[in-house]
Amino acid sequence: MASPPSLLSKTFSVLVSGFVVLNCFAVDKFGSHAQVITPLLPVDEVQILQNISNKLNISNWAPINQTSCNSTQWKHTIDSKTQSIVTCNCTFENDSVCHVTNISVKGFNLNGVLPDELGDLPHLLEIDLTRNYINGTIPPRLAQLPNLKILSLIVNRLTGPIPPEIGNITTLEELVLDDNLLGGPLPPDLGKLTSLRRLVLSSNNFTGTIPETLGNLKNLTEFMIDGSELSGKIPEFIGNWRNIVKLDLQGTSMEGPIPSNISLLTSLKSLRISDLNGSSSPFPNLQAMKSLENLILRNCLITASIPDYIANMTSLNFLFLNNNLLTGEVPKWALNNRQKVDLSYNNFTWSALEGSALGSCQQPKQDKNFVSSHLSNNNTDDWCFTKGLPCTQNLEYRSLFINCGGGSAPFNGDTYERDSNDGGRVSFSFLPGKWGYSSTGTYMENTSVQTSIAKNDFNLGVTGVYETARLAPQSLKYYALCLPKGKYKVQLHFAEIMYSNDQTFSSLGRRIFDISIQGITLWKNFNIMERAGGVGIGIIEVFDNIIVNDGTLEIHLYWAGKGTTFVPYRGVHGPLISAITVTPKFKNGSGLSVGAVIGIVAASCVLAALFLLLLRSKGYLGGKELVDKGGTEGISISLV
Ligand SMILES: *[C@@H]1O[C@H](CO)[C@@H](O)[C@H](O)[C@H]1NC(C)=O
Ligand SMILES: *[C@@H]1O[C@H](CO)[C@@H](O)[C@H](O)[C@H]1NC(C)=O
Ligand SMILES: *[C@@H]1O[C@H](CO)[C@@H](O)[C@H](O)[C@H]1NC(C)=O
Ligand SMILES: *[C@@H]1O[C@H](CO)[C@@H](O)[C@H](O)[C@H]1NC(C)=O
Ligand SMILES: *[C@@H]1O[C@H](CO)[C@@H](O)[C@H](O)[C@H]1NC(C)=O
Ligand SMILES: *[C@@H]1O[C@H](CO)[C@@H](O)[C@H](O)[C@H]1NC(C)=O
Ligand SMILES: *[C@@H]1O[C@H](CO)[C@@H](O)[C@H](O)[C@H]1NC(C)=O
Ligand SMILES: *[C@@H]1O[C@H](CO)[C@@H](O)[C@H](O)[C@H]1NC(C)=O
Ligand SMILES: *[C@@H]1O[C@H](CO)[C@@H](O)[C@H](O)[C@H]1NC(C)=O
Ligand SMILES: *[C@@H]1O[C@H](CO)[C@@H](O)[C@H](O)[C@H]1NC(C)=O
Ligand SMILES: *[C@@H]1O[C@H](CO)[C@@H](O)[C@H](O)[C@H]1NC(C)=O
Ligand SMILES: CC(=O)N[C@H]1CO[C@H](CO)[C@@H](O)[C@@H]1O
């Protein structure tokens, strides 16, 4: 990947934008000879722009003067994601006066502070400062802008709340603030923004409940609040949003059930809800959503069979209903069509039709994942489609070394096995009787990024097993299979290798996922960079005394919607792991006298896990003193 452009770079290519938005030169209609008048920016506007430029640390606008509207300095386009364009409307006062209408500086790594002075340019229609390194807070003074339509501040370092004053910009059509560090409750004043079409607040730290007033936003087409701490029930008033096309509620702290009036949202093309708390719910009524393209209801406690009408949704491309309590049989159409289907981790019953129709455990069907989706089945070859992945071979005493995402590699005196299968969409892979993984989800926002292998794009100095890693968009489960009963030590090796180590937007990634082993959540909101103290640093998380009872050891890394999703490009999120070590804590054949101990150990495991979570929530375990930055040996967490 090319290094991000620098404003100072000498090789900076300056392109004069092909579309001329301005009419900066007007013809004097009354002169006998046409005379060219240069329309000018008012002097005070020049000063305001100078101050904005200083505060944002924009070097390529200079020099700013009254003729800047007609300056090449104001039109740099490198590519669609990297451009700095300021446009003016020069038709004021008989085409003699210009005012700035659009400020769009995207992908330039601006490292200044968001300036109040943006509120002093009353003709502004658009402020777009996507993908920079800007800090500060959202200025309440923006509420002075009587015409603003678009405020887009995606991927920056902004903190603080959304000021209630923003609710006074009633012309606003797009408020797009995802991938920042904004927090606090959402102001009820946002309900006054009745022209709003896009409200995108994902990947921030908002708290509280969604204000009732948002039910007034009848023109909304997009509402996204993934990965925030927003809680409460999913509000009934979403039924008011009859124009909504895209509704994203993944990884919040909200509760089900999904309100029944979701059935009214007939324009929906993309519905994505995940990780609901609360009680189980029936399948929401989606019958009228004829245009649905993406349907993701993941980990939503849905107890029902899949309704037949889904088969009639001809535009449906993604059907991900994994990690629910779905019952009945897997519908035939889900096995045969061209949709991407993930029904893994459910409670389906086996039907005589299935078997080969599901694919086989060694040869997955393209774009389908049915791992662990059935309560039982009658065919030992189909073991991986049954809950718990029962061992159908002999139990075998052994250790396991996996180089996730890489080839076979020696490391710390052991040989780590190859795990370099990058089938892209192939979502599971098993060596029967040995080990395997199942990956769910898709990088939906960026269909070109479908790799499941992380690349060290920024040339971070990582070595050994840390050079490569396996990635998953949502959930990654590794299984050690057919292990004898007993206690095992699990070591998980991590190094963040997808973000840069500099002061650019590519360094602003926050990869956050949960770690569970044997179904017990041992880390919520695990962040490799935070634990290791930076990018490109290997750490090992050690989990001692993991109990295997029924042959299978399950390591689950799970993206619950938290963290950034647009750094360094759209779609990057989800668990990443470099290597896995599993070693038995007993000697081969040394009499597995663990039986009696298991109950006690299991109980203390739960207690220890709860204790750990408590410590984490109190901040005691977040400290860097536990992390050895110097080497690859990291902290050790002992469960018992
Ligand atoms: C620009 O900033 C300077 C220094 O902070 C300040 O004195 C001046 O009033 C500002 N001008 C405008 C037009 O905001
Ligand atoms: C402005 O940005 C340049 C590099 O882009 C940096 O060297 C300089 O320190 C920044 N200035 C301020 C005041 O932050
Ligand atoms: C404004 O700046 C441009 C360079 O961008 C320069 O060519 C022009 O002479 C300046 N105009 C005035 C009035 O200073
Ligand atoms: C420029 O401003 C005038 C007056 O507000 C408005 O009528 C016109 O549509 C604007 N032109 C453009 C291209 O936005
Ligand atoms: C913005 O970040 C700079 C360092 O990059 C820091 O010096 C400054 O205090 C921060 N300003 C605000 C308002 O957070
Ligand atoms: C919004 O505007 C109204 C009337 O213009 C004003 O009374 C109110 O104080 C403003 N609210 C905020 C939060 O600025
Ligand atoms: C809502 O959208 C419609 C159709 O685009 C438009 O006519 C109407 O003015 C919008 N309402 C508001 C309050 O902006
Ligand atoms: C999110 O907010 C909570 C408190 O509301 C705070 O403890 C936490 O540090 C914040 N996280 C981030 C990433 O800002
Ligand atoms: C699906 O469409 C077919 C043909 O249009 C129709 O006969 C059938 O009733 C529909 N099924 C459901 C469950 O809506
Ligand atoms: C689903 O299966 C799990 C066991 O895997 C069981 O505990 C649960 O009761 C089942 N739920 C339903 C609704 O069948
Ligand atoms: C599975 O086996 C049981 C008992 O052996 C039998 O009753 C049942 O019909 C079989 N189910 C299927 C789907 O073959
Ligand atoms: C940079 C820029 O837009 N320059 C334009 C200024 O106006 C003259 C006359 O209309 C154009 O020829 C330039 O291209």
Side-chain angles (χ1 to χ4, degrees):
M1 168 169 290
S3 56
S6 154
L7 291 180
L8 299 176
S9 167
K10 288 279 191 297
T11 58
F12 194 81
S13 68
V14 177
L15 303 177
V16 177
S17 152
F19 46 91
V20 177
V21 188
L22 313 177
N23 175 14
C24 287
F25 284 72
V27 174
D28 179 349
K29 298 175 192 91
F30 304 108
S32 49
H33 299 287
Q35 201 184 347
V36 176
I37 303 170
T38 307
L40 299 175
L41 276 169
V43 173
D44 62 334
E45 200 159 325
V46 171
Q47 276 170 12
I48 292 163
L49 285 160
Q50 188 60 59
N51 281 9
I52 290 171
S53 166
N54 293 346
K55 290 200 179 167
L56 285 172
N57 197 6
I58 299 178
S59 56
N60 70 348
W61 282 4
I64 303 172
N65 64 30
Q66 287 192 273
T67 63
S68 288
C69 285
N70 183 237
S71 137
T72 53
Q73 298 293 80
W74 278 11
K75 296 181 207 84
H76 299 291
T77 299
I78 293 169
D79 56 48
S80 63
K81 288 180 184 157
T82 317
Q83 55 184 31
S84 166
I85 296 175
V86 180
T87 52
C88 312
N89 182 336
C90 291
T91 63
F92 296 91
E93 297 184 24
N94 290 329
D95 300 335
S96 65
V97 172
C98 294
H99 292 295
V100 169
T101 54
N102 303 60
I103 293 181
S104 168
V105 185
K106 303 196 280 184
F108 273 82
N109 297 314
L110 299 179
N111 54 16
V113 176
L114 194 63
D116 291 343
E117 284 89 340
L118 287 167
D120 301 333
L121 297 171
H123 296 276
L124 273 184
L125 304 173
E126 177 187 16
I127 300 171
D128 188 344
L129 298 170
T130 296
R131 299 164 102 227
N132 286 294
Y133 197 74
I134 300 166
N135 65 352
T137 55
I138 298 176
R141 217 199 288 178
L142 294 182
Q144 293 178 11
L145 298 174
N147 302 306
L148 192 68
K149 290 195 163 87
I150 298 175
L151 179 60
S152 179
L153 303 169
I154 310 170
V155 186
N156 278 289
R157 298 184 293 154
L158 300 172
T159 50
I162 298 179
E165 287 83 353
I166 296 297
N168 273 3
I169 316 177
T170 51
T171 49
L172 211 54
E173 294 172 8
E174 301 189 17
L175 181 60
V176 187
L177 305 174
D178 53 310
D179 294 85
N180 277 287
L181 297 162
L182 300 166
L186 299 178
D189 308 66
L190 293 180
K192 293 189 281 179
L193 300 174
T194 50
S195 304
L196 211 54
R197 288 183 287 103
R198 300 181 67 214
L199 182 56
V200 183
L201 306 172
S202 307
S203 305
N204 280 291
N205 201 13
F206 295 115
T207 53
T209 57
I210 303 180
E212 284 290 323
T213 53
L214 296 200
N216 301 334
L217 305 182
K218 304 230 163 75
N219 269 12
L220 272 187
T221 57
E222 231 177 88
F223 181 76
M224 301 170 73
I225 54 165
D226 295 346
S228 59
E229 300 295 336
L230 290 166
S231 55
K233 283 210 175 310
I234 299 182
E236 289 282 336
F237 63 70
I238 63 170
N240 293 352
W241 297 341
R242 301 294 170 86
N243 295 306
I244 199 112
V245 172
K246 193 168 180 181
L247 182 59
D248 267 20
L249 314 171
Q250 300 187 92
T252 66
S253 300
M254 296 209 290
E255 274 173 37
I258 297 166
S260 60
N261 61 5
I262 198 165
S263 63
L264 302 171
L265 308 183
T266 53
S267 305
L268 266 180
K269 287 189 176 163
S270 182
L271 174 63
R272 301 191 285 185
I273 304 179
S274 80
D275 306 291
L276 294 181
N277 299 318
S279 52
S280 66
S281 60
F283 207 95
N285 181 353
L286 311 177
Q287 186 144 20
M289 298 179 193
K290 305 287 185 214
S291 328
L292 210 54
E293 292 168 13
N294 304 319
L295 176 59
I296 299 189
L297 301 172
R298 167 174 61 110
N299 199 17
C300 290
L301 298 164
I302 299 172
T303 311
S305 54
I306 299 180
D308 288 340
Y309 60 76
I310 304 273
N312 279 4
M313 294 181 176
T314 48
S315 309
L316 200 63
N317 191 15
F318 291 95
L319 177 68
F320 289 177
L321 303 173
N322 45 306
N323 297 82
N324 282 297
L325 300 163
L326 294 174
T327 55
E329 291 179 1
V330 170
K332 246 196 292 183
W333 52 264
L335 300 170
N336 300 324
N337 59 19
R338 292 194 315 276
Q339 289 151 356
K340 292 151 202 79
V341 173
D342 189 342
L343 298 177
S344 56
Y345 309 100
N346 272 298
N347 279 16
F348 292 111
T349 44
W350 195 254
S351 86
L353 293 169
E354 292 178 11
S356 63
L358 293 175
S360 78
C361 295
Q362 275 160 281
Q363 287 233 296
K365 264 195 145 168
Q366 174 133 359
D367 296 340
K368 313 277 180 199
N369 190 341
F370 299 104
V371 168
S372 199
S373 53
H374 291 70
L375 290 173
S376 66
N377 83 58
N378 283 14
N379 182 351
T380 53
D381 286 345
D382 293 328
W383 57 276
C384 70
F385 303 128
T386 300
K387 265 193 142 77
L389 278 66
C391 177
T392 53
Q393 310 194 355
N394 293 330
L395 301 180
E396 190 193 352
Y397 175 90
R398 65 184 192 279
S399 298
L400 192 57
F401 304 93
I402 307 168
N403 184 21
C404 308
S408 169
F411 186 69
N412 286 357
D414 292 298
T415 300
Y416 281 69
E417 283 185 59
R418 169 184 173 275
D419 173 28
S420 56
N421 185 359
D422 183 13
R425 286 174 179 165
V426 174
S427 46
F428 61 89
S429 173
F430 289 104
L431 282 173
K434 307 277 189 213
W435 61 276
Y437 69 83
S438 156
S439 157
T440 72
T442 182
Y443 297 102
M444 199 124 15
E445 306 298 348
N446 188 343
T447 42
S448 65
V449 184
Q450 291 298 343
T451 178
S452 49
I453 307 284
K455 304 233 164 45
N456 180 3
D457 284 332
F458 296 99
N459 294 317
L460 304 168
V462 283
T463 55
V465 292
Y466 298 106
E467 284 176 43
T468 57
R470 181 168 293 285
L471 277 180
Q474 291 174 346
S475 156
L476 183 58
K477 285 190 181 182
Y478 271 91
Y479 297 95
L481 301 168
C482 296
L483 294 179
K485 231 179 193 182
K487 286 197 243 174
Y488 292 79
K489 177 175 172 183
V490 173
Q491 299 177 69
L492 305 181
H493 306 247
F494 299 101
E496 180 55 69
I497 56 172
M498 290 188 76
Y499 304 137
S500 66
N501 189 13
D502 54 14
Q503 299 198 336
T504 64
F505 68 78
S506 302
S507 72
L508 295 179
R510 297 188 302 280
R511 183 190 303 281
I512 296 172
F513 56 91
D514 298 345
I515 302 175
S516 309
I517 301 182
Q518 299 299 67
I520 300 173
T521 304
L522 300 173
W523 272 96
K524 262 198 112 50
N525 300 334
F526 181 75
N527 180 331
I528 301 169
M529 256 165 83
E530 223 172 75
R531 289 290 293 161
V535 293
I537 302 170
I539 48 157
I540 306 177
E541 300 289 351
V542 180
F543 302 94
D544 233 334
N545 297 320
I546 298 294
I547 309 291
V548 173
N549 271 327
D550 56 3
T552 305
L553 194 159
E554 180 196 276
I555 297 161
H556 188 193
L557 310 177
Y558 186 70
W559 180 63
K562 304 283 192 284
T564 55
T565 58
F566 202 164
V567 181
Y569 38 83
R570 195 175 272 291
V572 176
H573 55 76
L576 174 154
I577 185 161
S578 309
I580 293 174
T581 314
V582 177
T583 43
K585 301 210 50 165
F586 54 91
K587 291 220 165 65
N588 192 11
S590 71
L592 305 174
S593 57
V594 276
V597 192
I598 283 166
I600 302 163
V601 172
S604 38
C605 261
V606 173
L607 281 178
L610 288 175
F611 182 60
L612 269 176
L613 284 176
L614 182 73
L615 287 181
R616 286 239 352 111
S617 67
K618 299 262 183 230
Y620 292 121
L621 281 184
K624 293 193 168 83
E625 68 277 6
L626 289 174
V627 180
D628 176 2
K629 292 189 200 172
T632 50
E633 294 296 343
I635 58 106
S636 170
I637 294 174
S638 208
L639 282 188
V640 188

